[in-house]
């Protein structure tokens, strides 16, 4: 006998690359009752199929222990407006400083070494602080994510440039072998990518929020079964409605749930669900759906589905599920990306050791 699977979606923050995705998926897959777990980096969400043995609190604790923030509120905005503005000006400032450092590539002007250092230092340690934080978190969990690669590459360029600056003499020519612009450019362009990624994520979350807003927060519930539209009713919260109860939907109001018309006749705009521009006539025994707009006259409706079980709720659920799951090609890319950072670090180590073995010296700027 097939076991009926249930679904759970989580919001996970703190992931920076495919290596993080792989780690979270491995953590989730080890939990009791989890059948499949798919993590999406772009939407910072995890979609889990599980059995009755699944314990939510245990899963939340395991993800937090791995170094990531997690919550059940998968539809919560990934960034608030203030954080979005902060990310924007940090990215723009990094791009501006990098442009100044790269001016010698397109002109004959060369900035003094002290000025290059003065410009590159805040980019490396202030604007790039988020990468240091992410790298330390990954190393604590014995992982090597993209933050580790960014920090290792940019910090090496920065420190090597400082070393060359302090060990060079005016006539040695060594001071020309500086890479302050390279370290700043890497951080600036990664910040740009992060900003664009989060902007796209905010648009996705806003689309889901727009669908959620189609449902009113309150409804008029009849006290008993109505014999006429003017029968006694009371205003209640949407969460308190139950299947089999009766509600009144006035003209110009959106339906809070799915149901069947009991009394009244009106036109209902269903374009939010089916895209049909012309409203449909609804009278006794006609089906109506949550989120649609009653246009001209009051209706008494018997509730047949509420919340996630409504047609609108199922649409929202399918969108959330689609965001949490990955295409086969994306799964293949993630598998390759999971070994990308360790492979790059390994190649770098082999190159350095090979150079030392061949020349019996460390690489210099000459």
């Amino acid at each position: 006998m097939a076991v009926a699977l249930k679904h759970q979606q989580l919001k996970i923050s703190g992931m920076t690359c495919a290596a993080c995705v792989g780690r979270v998926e491995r953590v989730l897959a080890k939990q009791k009752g989890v059948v499949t777990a798919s993590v999406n980096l772009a939407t910072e969400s995890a979609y889990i199929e599980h059995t009755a043995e699944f314990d939510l609190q245990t899963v939340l604790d395991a993800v937090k222990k791995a170094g990531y923030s997690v919550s059940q509120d998968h539809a919560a905005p990934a960034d608030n407006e203030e954080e979005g503005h902060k990310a924007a000006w940090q990215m723009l400032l990094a791009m501006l400083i990098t442009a100044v450092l790269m001016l010698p590539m397109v002109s004959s002007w060369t900035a003094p070494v002290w000025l290059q250092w003065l410009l590159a230092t805040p980019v490396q340690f202030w604007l790039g602080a988020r990468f240091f934080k992410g790298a330390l978190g990954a190393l604590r969990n014995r992982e090597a994510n993209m933050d580790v690669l960014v920090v290792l590459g940019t910090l090496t360029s920065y420190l090597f440039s400082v070393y060359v600056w302090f060990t060079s003499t005016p006539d040695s020519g060594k001071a020309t072998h500086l890479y302050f612009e390279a370290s700043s450019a890497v951080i600036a362009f990664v910040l740009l990518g992060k900003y664009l990624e989060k902007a796209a994520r905010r648009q996705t979350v806003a689309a889901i929020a727009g669908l959620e807003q189609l449902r009113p927060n309150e409804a008029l519930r009849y006290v008993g079964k109505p014999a006429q539209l003017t029968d006694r009713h009371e205003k209640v919260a949407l969460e308190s409605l139950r299947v089999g109860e009766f509600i009144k939907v006035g003209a110009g109001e959106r339906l809070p749930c799915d149901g069947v018309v009991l009394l009244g006749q009106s036109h209902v705009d269903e374009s939010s669900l089916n895209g049909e521009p012309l409203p449909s006539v609804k009278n006794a025994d006609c089906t109506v759906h949550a989120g649609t707009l009653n246009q001209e006259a009051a209706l008494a409706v018997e509730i047949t589905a509420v919340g996630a079980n409504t047609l609108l709720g199922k649409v929202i659920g399918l969108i959330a599920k689609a965001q949490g799951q990955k295409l086969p090609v994306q799964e293949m890319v993630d598998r390759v990306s999971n070994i990308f950072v360790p492979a790059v670090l390994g190649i770098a180590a082999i190159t350095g050791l090979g150079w030392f073995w061949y020349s019996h010296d460390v690489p210099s700027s000459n």
Side-chain angles (χ1 to χ4, degrees):
M1 182 178 178
V3 178
L5 297 180
K6 298 181 179 180
H7 307 93
Q8 178 69 55
Q9 190 155 357
L10 303 175
K11 173 176 170 54
I12 301 177
S13 303
M15 299 183 296
T16 58
C17 65
C20 297
V21 172
R23 176 171 177 77
V24 175
E25 287 182 341
R26 289 193 295 272
V27 169
L28 293 174
K30 292 178 182 179
Q31 304 309 308
K32 188 175 181 180
V34 174
V35 178
T36 61
S38 177
V39 178
N40 191 299
L41 176 62
T43 59
E44 293 188 330
S45 61
Y47 182 79
I48 303 170
E49 291 185 329
H50 61 87
T51 64
E53 297 178 326
F54 178 83
D55 182 72
L56 178 60
Q57 190 57 50
T58 301
V59 171
L60 295 178
D61 292 341
V63 175
K64 290 177 182 177
K65 186 178 180 181
Y68 305 95
S69 301
V70 60
S71 67
Q72 290 180 258
D73 189 10
H74 64 270
D79 306 283
N80 58 38
E81 187 174 353
E82 182 179 351
E83 290 175 340
H85 290 321
K86 180 180 178 181
W89 72 256
Q90 285 184 338
M91 178 270 296
L92 290 173
L93 181 58
M95 296 293 287
L96 179 61
I97 293 176
T98 299
V100 174
L101 289 171
M102 297 182 73
L103 273 178
M105 295 184 179
V106 295
S107 69
S108 59
W109 177 79
T110 301
V113 177
W114 65 266
L115 180 59
Q116 295 182 47
W117 169 82
L118 190 64
L119 292 172
T121 299
V123 176
Q124 183 70 43
F125 298 106
W126 176 40
L127 300 178
R130 56 180 294 176
F131 302 113
F132 285 88
K133 182 179 179 181
L136 288 174
L139 293 175
R140 287 196 198 100
N141 293 296
R142 299 178 182 178
E143 293 282 336
N145 62 7
M146 197 60 67
D147 285 337
V148 174
L149 199 60
V150 171
V151 168
L152 186 60
T154 59
L155 192 59
T156 300
S157 298
Y158 176 86
L159 293 178
F160 180 75
S161 299
V162 172
Y163 167 77
V164 171
W165 177 26
F166 280 102
T167 58
S168 63
T169 58
D171 58 346
S172 67
K174 290 177 64 178
T176 61
H177 297 275
L178 302 176
Y179 302 96
F180 287 121
E181 83 287 347
S183 63
S184 297
V186 170
I187 291 176
F189 283 112
V190 174
L191 286 175
L192 174 61
K194 294 289 185 183
Y195 173 77
L196 295 177
E197 176 187 332
K198 288 184 178 294
R201 187 182 303 156
R202 285 193 295 270
Q203 291 178 353
T204 302
V205 172
I208 296 180
L211 289 175
E212 293 280 5
Q213 290 174 359
L214 292 176
R215 287 185 294 207
N217 296 322
E218 297 179 326
L220 295 176
R221 181 174 58 190
Y222 282 105
V223 179
K225 183 177 181 179
Q228 53 186 359
L229 290 170
T230 56
D231 281 357
R232 182 186 170 195
H233 49 265
E234 58 184 357
K235 183 176 289 188
V236 297
L238 180 63
E239 294 75 16
S240 66
L241 296 179
R242 298 291 181 268
V243 174
E245 294 180 334
F246 302 90
I247 58 173
K248 180 180 180 180
V249 183
E253 296 179 352
R254 291 192 178 274
L255 280 90
C257 50
D258 290 357
V260 176
V261 177
L262 182 66
L263 298 170
Q265 177 174 315
S266 182
H267 284 83
V268 176
D269 181 0
E270 299 179 313
S271 59
S272 57
L273 289 180
N274 58 22
E276 176 60 50
L278 298 178
S280 302
V281 177
K282 299 294 182 180
N283 47 33
D285 298 328
C286 288
T287 301
V288 290
H289 298 287
T292 57
L293 179 63
N294 180 29
Q295 291 189 329
E296 57 193 16
L299 296 173
V301 177
E302 181 179 359
I303 300 174
T304 58
V306 296
N309 294 321
T310 63
L311 180 60
L312 178 62
K314 291 177 180 178
V315 170
I316 295 173
L318 287 173
I319 294 175
K321 179 179 178 180
Q323 291 174 336
Q325 293 180 323
K326 288 180 277 194
L327 296 173
V329 66
Q330 187 178 359
E331 293 178 351
M332 180 186 69
V333 170
D334 284 349
R335 285 196 297 270
V336 174
S337 300
N338 282 335
I339 63 173
F340 175 73
V341 175
V344 170
L345 295 179
I347 292 172
I350 292 172
T351 302
L353 291 174
W355 186 303
F356 181 77
W357 177 80
Y358 178 77
S359 64
H360 301 292
D361 193 8
V362 296
S364 67
S365 61
N366 293 322

